[in-house]
Every structure is written in structure tokens, then in C-alpha cells.
Amino acid sequence: MDKIYNRIAEYSCRNNLFQQGESILVGVSGGADSIFLLHALCQLKERFSLQIAAVHIHHGIRGGEADRDQEFTQKFAERLGIACYLFHEDVPCRAKEWEMSVEEAGRAVRYQCFEKLRQRLGFDWIAVAHNRNDQAETILLQLLRGSGLRGLGGIRAKRDRVIRPLLFLERAEIEAALQKEGLGYCEDATNSGDAYARNRIRNHVLPYLQEQLQPAAVDHIARAGEQLQGIMDYIGQQSRAVAKRNVKKGMHSCKIECAVLLEQAPVIQGEILLQMMEELVRKRKDITSRHIAALQKLAAGETGKKIMLPYHLMAEKTYTTLEIFLTGEGKRQGQSPTWEQGVAVRPGDSFCIPAADTGQKWTVWFERCGRGEILPEELKNHCTKCFDYAKMDSMPVFRYPAPGDYLWLDRDGRKKKLSRIFIDDKLPLSRRERLIVLAQGPHVLWIPELNRSSVYFYVTSQTDEILCARIHTHKA
């Protein structure tokens, strides 16, 4: 059994999933994959000086079976001597509220809970138990949905704060390892049904491919996805460079000169168009290759033509440009951020930040880029704010100030409470409460209205990756 744990350790090191002395929160459903993941990381705990904790989400569905999974997970974590944190969520209710399927809502709820707990505990990583079969299923599902090349790359071993140490193992290997270790697990009855498209691929399509065409189908499909990930990383870098120079961004629109777009290779065109849409709606799941092809045709076609796109987007060909914009419904859905709860920032996001007591507003666009992609003068430009991405334990949020908030004043770590800064700046109480700040926990990165930012996140010569905020001011 040591061999499989060594393989997990090697895969984790090769993909830089975690380092010595770090902490990992493990998502455990009670199923075979997540039980083995938790057990395996506990086997590696001493070797890497890891701190391990488990988290289980009760989805409010499947009745007594879900209760059984929760109890099993708790007892298994107890046997391993680690803490187990529980969430009980009403996923069907969330699905109705968010207008999505129960399956999609369940995934969204899980990752929300994971990240909330990770931040609360101050842990480094969230580990989930996707395996090589999950990878093959995802790639086939994306192919059937008409996804572009990026979607065909499948699941990443590491994305943001989520790691997948079992992504290289096939499900049969995991189940064999559990049997050798004498470890039980819970069976989810819904996995054997065909209610979801993924289940039909898992239960019928992949077994047929393995039995009738190619025994190594899962491995071959997964390897093709991994190769595509590398190719798309390179294409993404090239397309971002073109978009950065040529895409004009407005409050609810993005546009590019058709001549500039059409002179690019088709695959670069597709990535630029995808980035333009994601800039406006911050999601891409329902955008397929069919939509990209329609946009390319529109850019090459007659002036005045329009097409509808997912997420209440519309595109129009003007005399020289292709413009993608939010329709009225899309604007209404996106115009009320819940500053009290906090609005998470991701690369590609854009926000309209209101001033506390004037009519002024700022549109802020975020992008993640390498040190070499930022010009020296941009680091000092008042319309650009740059933060050292590697120093962020989690993605920051825009929110109202909270008790205990502070800024770093200098590189020696001298801090100052936000309340004291407000007093020193003679801000009235009514204005202090309505200022929008960008924060990670109680550490405030930036106060747009006061043009103050934390020295801790300053870009230095050692900085490799940058979270860049580009600012456009709207006068009162």
C-alpha cells in the first residue's frame, strides 16, 4: 500500500499541490473517493507535516441516506483523530433561488461552504476527491455540450485554493486500495441512476468504450485533456495580450475592432470573444463553441446585425466594431451587489463601486497577470492598482468596513486600525459606514475612495503574479 501513497505524494509535488507544513481542509461526502482521499492525506501527514481537517456538507436531500453519510463521515474522521466540520444546507431551495439545477446548486453550495470554512480556520488548501474517471466523464460531457477547447481540457489538478491529489488515479485503483486497507464507505444510490447526463456517461458510455473499443479509454481521454490544458494556457496568454491592447470596456459592454479580431488566428479569436463575455457576466458554463462561431460570423458580416447570447448578453456589429453588451434584464440582475455580505473578486470580474456620499463612481476591472505583463509606469498610475497575488490566502471581497479591520502601513508590519484611519482623516460616521473596501478577512487591501492600500500586498521585484485592478472614474 505504500506504493500508492508514494504516487500520491509524487503527483502532489509534481503539480505543486501543497508544501511542507501547510494545512488542508478535505471535502468528504462519505463516498469511496473522498474517504480514500482523507485516509491518504492522513498517511502523508507526518511526511509533509500537514494539518488535516474534514468538512462534510449535508445537502438537505436523500433523507435518511444523507444522515447516514454524515454520521459515517464523522465517525471516520474521529477514528483518524482529526476534526470534522459539518454544514447542513437546503440545496433544493438554493436551486430554486438561483434558478439552476439541484446538481449545479449542490456544487455551488459545497464550494461556498468549503471556502467559508477554509478562511475561518486559516487553512491553506481545500482538497477534493476527483479522480481520473471524473476527468474522462467531464471531458466527454463538455464535448457533447459543444464546449470549446478550454472546456475539453477538463478538471485542473489545482485551481485557486482547490487541489485534487487523486486526479491521476482511476476509480478502480481507489476501490482496490480501500479494500486492501479494509476501509468501508457509503454508496450514494443516486449515482447508479440515470437522472443526470454525467451518470449516463459513467454508467453506460465509458463502460462501453472500455469493454468494446479500448480498455485504456479513461486514461487516453484524461491524457488528451491534460495536453489540451497546456495548449490552452499558452493560447490564453496570447489572447489576453491581444485583448489587453484592443478590447474597450464600458460599464456593461466590451467592444473590439472587427479588423483587429479577424486578423487573429481563429482559436485566438474564440478566446478573445470568450474573455469579453466572461468580463461582463463572470461565468462561461453555458457559452459553447456554437456561440463563438456565431460571433465570428457576425464580426465578418453586415453592419447592424445582432445576435442573442446566454446570460442576457447581446452582440451587435456596428460599422467597424463588434460590441457585446448586457441587455436590460442582465443589467438589472447584476446591479445590486450585497456589500454587507461581501462580493468576492475573481480575475475577469468587473464592479461598479459607488462613493459613500458623492455621486462619484468607479468601474474596476480585475485581471491576473505575470510581472512582465505590467509596465513599470502602470505600477505608479493612479488608474491602476496592483497587488501581489502570491500573498493572498484567498480571493479578496468588496464589502463595507467591519470592526477589527486594519491596514499595513509599512514593510515592518506596522498596522493601523481602519477606525483610526477614518478618525485621522476626519471622516463623518455616516460616510465611514458606507465606504467600500477590498479586504481579505480583517486585512484591508484597498480603500478606493481614499486611495489607500496595504503595503503588505505591494508589488516588489520578487513578485511573480499580480492581481491588477484597472479603474475608470465616473464624475458626479
Side-chain angles (χ1 to χ4, degrees):
M1 285 304 298
D2 286 344
K3 185 177 179 183
I4 197 167
Y5 300 130
N6 287 335
R7 289 169 63 200
I8 294 169
E10 289 165 7
Y11 179 80
S12 298
C13 292
R14 189 166 65 251
N15 290 278
N16 193 31
L17 300 190
F18 53 79
Q19 303 292 328
Q20 285 279 343
E22 290 190 321
S23 48
I24 303 175
L25 181 65
V26 186
V28 185
S29 66
D33 301 335
S34 63
I35 287 293
F36 181 69
L37 173 62
L38 182 60
H39 178 76
L41 289 175
C42 285
Q43 297 301 307
L44 299 175
K45 187 167 64 170
E46 288 189 15
R47 189 190 307 188
F48 290 96
S49 302
L50 299 174
Q51 183 181 354
I52 306 290
V55 55
H56 176 86
I57 316 299
H58 190 302
H59 291 71
I61 51 181
R62 296 193 299 122
E65 192 177 271
D67 297 336
R68 175 209 66 186
D69 294 351
Q70 177 178 295
E71 184 180 358
F72 181 88
T73 301
Q74 280 182 287
K75 288 182 177 177
F76 186 73
E78 189 178 323
R79 278 166 47 200
L80 293 172
I82 63 169
C84 182
Y85 298 88
L86 305 174
F87 286 83
H88 198 297
E89 300 289 331
D90 188 343
V91 170
C93 179
R94 297 282 187 170
K96 288 180 183 176
E97 179 185 338
W98 296 337
E99 298 181 346
M100 59 176 62
S101 71
V102 172
E103 185 183 25
E104 290 174 315
R107 182 186 184 281
V109 164
R110 283 195 298 278
Y111 282 97
Q112 278 186 2
C113 293
F114 292 164
E115 178 59 18
K116 187 188 301 182
L117 181 60
R118 187 196 69 78
Q119 291 192 38
R120 195 177 91 203
L121 298 176
F123 271 40
D124 297 298
W125 306 106
I126 299 161
V128 293
H130 290 108
N131 59 48
R132 209 154 182 77
N133 293 68
D134 294 319
Q135 179 73 292
E137 291 162 12
T138 298
I139 292 168
L140 286 176
L141 195 59
Q142 295 286 62
L143 179 66
L144 295 172
R145 282 174 173 165
S147 172
L149 290 176
R150 186 170 297 281
L152 295 179
I155 307 167
R156 297 267 176 168
K158 182 179 186 180
R159 185 184 290 278
D160 298 325
R161 286 285 156 183
V162 178
I163 59 174
R164 298 176 172 88
L166 305 185
L167 196 56
F168 72 102
L169 287 173
E170 291 195 27
R171 188 169 291 129
E173 294 179 274
I174 293 171
E175 291 174 353
L178 285 167
Q179 188 173 5
K180 285 181 182 178
E181 292 280 21
L183 298 174
Y185 55 90
C186 299
E187 293 277 7
D188 183 344
T190 61
N191 287 337
S192 59
D194 291 338
Y196 302 121
R198 179 180 289 275
N199 284 17
R200 294 192 286 276
I201 290 173
R202 176 181 302 163
N203 298 332
H204 302 291
V205 177
L206 275 176
Y208 180 86
L209 293 176
Q210 290 172 303
E211 293 165 12
Q212 302 296 326
L213 296 174
Q214 173 52 261
V218 166
D219 183 58
H220 290 178
I221 294 168
R223 275 199 284 122
E226 289 162 3
Q227 291 168 358
L228 268 174
Q229 287 178 10
I231 292 168
M232 291 311 299
D233 286 345
Y234 175 75
I235 290 172
Q237 290 173 4
Q238 300 303 307
S239 59
R240 280 193 296 275
V242 175
K244 184 177 176 181
R245 295 192 300 269
N246 297 287
V247 174
K248 305 287 190 298
K249 302 171 184 176
M251 281 290 291
H252 300 293
S253 67
C254 289
K255 64 182 177 180
I256 187 170
E257 291 288 330
C258 292
V260 172
L261 178 69
L262 295 173
E263 72 182 7
Q264 309 302 318
V267 69
I268 300 292
Q269 293 177 25
E271 277 296 295
I272 292 170
L273 292 167
L274 187 59
Q275 289 166 18
M276 289 170 69
M277 288 185 279
E278 195 170 19
E279 178 77 31
L280 296 170
V281 295
R282 303 194 293 279
K283 48 191 171 183
R284 60 166 67 185
K285 178 180 175 293
D286 294 326
I287 300 170
T288 69
S289 55
R290 179 172 57 85
H291 300 117
I292 299 299
L295 284 168
Q296 290 170 314
K297 183 178 179 182
L298 181 67
E302 297 176 14
T303 296
K305 292 287 183 70
K306 298 179 182 180
I307 60 171
M308 292 298 299
L309 296 163
Y311 307 123
H312 304 289
L313 289 171
M314 181 177 281
E316 180 178 13
K317 167 74 180 291
T318 63
Y319 290 104
T320 61
T321 65
L322 177 71
E323 183 172 12
I324 302 174
F325 54 91
L326 277 168
T327 62
E329 178 62 25
K331 292 176 186 177
R332 284 192 291 276
Q333 289 189 6
Q335 67 187 5
S336 302
T338 53
W339 305 120
E340 291 87 353
Q341 298 173 4
V343 182
V345 164
R346 295 175 302 175
D349 284 355
S350 62
F351 299 89
C352 182
I353 308 297
D357 61 354
T358 70
Q360 196 173 44
K361 296 187 279 194
W362 298 270
T363 299
V364 184
W365 299 279
F366 286 91
E367 61 180 336
R368 179 179 169 183
C369 48
R371 182 68 169 81
E373 297 178 63
I374 296 290
L375 301 173
E377 54 266 29
E378 287 184 289
L379 294 173
K380 300 176 182 177
N381 191 323
H382 71 280
C383 291
T384 305
K385 284 292 177 186
C386 295
F387 308 95
D388 191 325
Y389 188 82
K391 290 183 177 178
M392 295 182 184
D393 296 327
S394 59
M395 294 309 295
V397 299
F398 275 123
R399 59 169 173 78
Y400 290 129
D405 282 351
Y406 64 87
L407 254 75
W408 269 43
L409 300 182
D410 54 39
R411 298 194 185 280
D412 294 329
R414 198 162 55 90
K415 303 173 185 176
K416 192 171 189 178
K417 286 189 175 181
L418 211 57
S419 56
R420 188 70 250 173
I421 291 173
F422 292 161
I423 292 170
D424 292 346
D425 286 359
K426 298 181 172 56
L427 293 182
L429 184 60
S430 59
R431 189 176 172 199
R432 296 179 211 169
E433 293 174 343
R434 309 304 291 177
L435 280 174
I436 304 296
V437 302
L438 182 68
Q440 181 182 270
H443 191 162
V444 173
L445 286 71
W446 181 35
I447 313 171
E449 193 165 341
L450 301 184
N451 195 26
R452 297 283 295 266
S453 52
S454 172
V455 174
Y456 177 79
F457 293 98
Y458 278 7
V459 172
T460 69
S461 57
Q462 282 75 47
T463 300
D464 292 322
E465 285 192 287
I466 294 170
L467 182 67
C468 178
R470 300 191 183 277
I471 309 147
H472 175 68
T473 303
H474 306 269
K475 298 296 183 184

